Amino acid sequence: MKLTTALTLTLAGLAGMAHAADEIQPETLTIEKTIAPGPNVLVMDFGMVGSSPVYVFGSEELKLKGNIGTGSFGQMVLSKDGKTLYTVSAYLERYVYGDIDAVIHEWDLQTMTAKREFEINDKFGHAESQPGLLTLADDEKFLLVQNATPATSVTVVDLAKGADIAEVPTPGCWTAIPAVEGRRFTSICGDGTLASYGFEADGTFTKPVKSAQIFDADKDALFANPLRVGSKLVYLSFGGNFLVVDDSAETATLEKTVSIEGGEWAPGGSEVMTYHAPSNTIFVMMHKGAFDGSHKNPAEEIWAVDAETFKVKGRSAANGETGILATKGDAPELFGVTHTGTLVKYSVALGDEVTLTKSAEREGAAIFPALMVSDF
C-alpha cells in the first residue's frame, strides 16, 4: 500500500514538472554593444593578488556599467576626449613566476573592447597605480611608461607605430610628467631636484637637465605626483607646502613655496589632491595629528584651496578616502575612494566658501582601488 502511494505521488510530481516545463520560456542572453549613455568614473583596482581590472561606474547613481580586464600591476590613462583608455600591465607566463609580457592595450571606452594591443619591453614598474607612471605626451602621440628594475628609466612608446622607440635612463628619479607642449618630461629625484628630459620621434633623447635643489627629502619630502595648474606644475609636501614649478624651459625652476597653514593638520593618502580648473580650486585630503609616516593616512577632512592665493576656501568632512578626483565641468563633482574599496560621491558648492556634501556611495567598488579618472 505504501509503495503504491509513493509511486503514485512520484508519477504525479513528474507529470507536474513536465507540465511546468512546457510553460517555461527559454531566456535569451544578449550583450550590449555599448555601455549605457552618460558620464562615467573609472576606478582601477590594483588587485595586489592578481589582475588589475578597471571598473566603469555611471556618475549619477554609481551603477556599475561594466569592467575592462587587464593583466597584473596595471596603470591607466584616459585620452583628453574621454573615448580611449590606455593601459599597461604584466602577463606572467606562470601567473606567479616566469617570463613577463608587458602589454599596452588601447580600449574603446564605449564598447569596452580592445582596439589593439602590443608588447613593449618588460621593465615597467610593478608599483601601485599612479598618474605619473603612465602618461600621454606631445598631443597624445606618445605614451611614457615608468620603469623600475629597480633601476629607473622611462620607456617612450610611439602610438602611431604601436611600439616602444626608446628607453630613457632616469637614475634616482620617478614619474614622467609631460610638458604642456613638445617632447619633454619632468621627473622628481631623490636628491631634491627635478630632472628634465627630451626625446625625439626617431628614438633619440637628450641628457637630463637638473634643476637646483627645490626640496629636502629628509626634512619635508614631496608627494611624487604633481597637478598641472595652467602651465605650471604644483607639488605638495608631506608637511603641507605647495611648490609651484615652471617646467616650460629646458630647466625646471621653482617659482614659489606656499604653506597650507594646516597647523596640526597635514595632507595624506595616495592620490592626495585633485584640481578643478574652471574654479581654480585644489582639493586636498587632510588628517589630524600628523607624524613621520602619516602621509599615507586616509582623509579626515577634504580642504578646498584657491590655486592662485593658496588660501583655504573650505573644509568638509571626509570618509576615509585615500584618493580623490574632481570632474572637469563648470559644476564639478568630487569622487573619493577608500582603502576598503568604497566609492564616495560629493556634490560641490562653489563660492567664497567651498563645501562638499556626500551625495552617494558604493561599497565594494574595488578590492584595492588605486587610481580614478573620469570622462567628464
Side-chain angles (χ1 to χ4, degrees):
M1 180 64 177
K2 292 181 178 179
L3 179 60
T4 302
T5 302
L7 181 59
T8 300
L9 291 173
T10 300
L11 292 173
L14 291 173
M17 291 174 62
H19 179 69
D22 291 337
E23 297 178 351
I24 296 175
Q25 297 299 318
E27 182 179 0
T28 301
L29 299 179
T30 61
I31 297 177
E32 296 287 345
K33 292 183 179 180
T34 62
I35 61 175
N40 305 293
V41 176
L42 285 65
V43 179
M44 172 160 269
D45 188 343
F46 185 62
M48 297 291 284
V49 294
S51 65
S52 300
V54 180
Y55 297 107
V56 181
F57 297 94
S59 68
E60 295 300 320
E61 300 177 353
L62 305 185
K63 182 179 179 181
L64 179 65
K65 294 185 177 182
N67 67 285
I68 294 171
T70 76
S72 300
F73 314 112
Q75 306 289 341
M76 69 174 176
V77 61
L78 189 64
S79 62
K80 288 181 181 179
D81 64 11
K83 296 180 180 180
T84 302
L85 182 73
Y86 297 94
T87 62
V88 62
S89 56
Y91 293 84
L92 280 67
E93 183 181 29
R94 291 292 181 267
Y95 188 67
V96 293
Y97 69 92
D99 293 338
I100 295 174
D101 291 334
V103 180
I104 297 288
H105 276 103
E106 184 177 299
W107 306 92
D108 177 79
L109 184 57
Q110 289 302 305
T111 62
M112 293 193 183
T113 57
K115 294 192 285 188
R116 63 171 174 163
E117 65 176 70
F118 54 90
E119 294 184 25
I120 60 171
N121 78 62
D122 62 4
K123 296 181 179 181
F124 87 93
H126 296 179
E128 178 188 0
S129 307
Q130 302 169 37
L133 304 191
L134 180 68
T135 55
L136 286 160
D138 191 25
D139 199 27
E140 303 192 348
K141 297 182 183 71
F142 299 90
L143 276 174
L144 306 177
V145 185
Q146 178 66 59
N147 298 327
T149 57
T152 52
S153 62
V154 169
T155 293
V156 180
V157 178
D158 187 322
L159 287 172
K161 295 179 179 178
D164 50 319
I165 60 170
E167 181 187 349
V168 183
T170 60
C173 305
W174 191 246
T175 68
I177 309 302
V180 174
E181 295 180 351
R183 302 185 185 111
R184 292 188 304 103
F185 65 89
T186 298
S187 188
I188 186 173
C189 307
D191 61 3
T193 66
L194 297 176
S196 300
Y197 302 84
F199 64 92
E200 297 297 337
D202 62 3
T204 59
F205 50 87
T206 64
K207 293 181 179 180
V209 179
K210 286 288 197 82
S211 72
Q213 185 179 23
I214 68 168
F215 71 100
D216 187 324
D218 293 323
K219 294 180 180 179
D220 193 18
L222 300 186
F223 293 94
N225 296 283
L227 298 173
R228 177 65 71 181
V229 177
S231 63
K232 307 298 171 64
L233 294 178
V234 176
Y235 286 88
L236 180 62
S237 76
F238 293 1
N241 291 306
F242 290 103
L243 282 70
V244 180
V245 173
D246 184 349
D247 67 334
S248 61
E250 185 180 51
T251 305
T253 56
L254 176 65
E255 288 197 344
K256 60 182 176 180
T257 301
V258 185
S259 173
I260 200 171
E261 298 181 355
E264 59 182 331
W265 289 77
S270 179
E271 303 318 312
V272 68
M273 58 180 176
T274 186
Y275 175 61
H276 179 243
S279 67
N280 203 27
T281 303
I282 297 172
F283 295 92
V284 184
M285 297 186 297
M286 302 289 288
H287 65 280
K288 194 175 182 180
F291 57 88
D292 186 18
S294 70
H295 62 281
K296 294 185 178 181
N297 279 19
E300 297 174 43
E301 290 185 355
I302 299 174
W303 292 13
V305 178
D306 186 303
E308 182 176 356
T309 65
F310 292 95
K311 298 296 183 182
V312 176
K313 298 197 296 183
R315 296 171 55 168
S316 301
N319 289 271
E321 290 85 0
T322 55
I324 52 175
L325 172 72
T327 57
K328 306 177 186 70
D330 291 338
E333 294 175 324
L334 190 136
F335 295 87
V337 286
T338 72
H339 67 282
T340 57
T342 298
L343 178 61
V344 184
K345 175 183 174 181
Y346 295 90
S347 58
V348 181
L350 298 173
D352 293 337
E353 182 177 359
V354 178
T355 58
L356 305 178
T357 304
K358 186 171 77 169
S359 55
E361 71 175 8
R362 183 188 178 102
E363 295 182 357
I367 296 174
F368 194 97
L371 183 62
M372 292 185 293
V373 294
S374 71
D375 61 2
F376 71 108

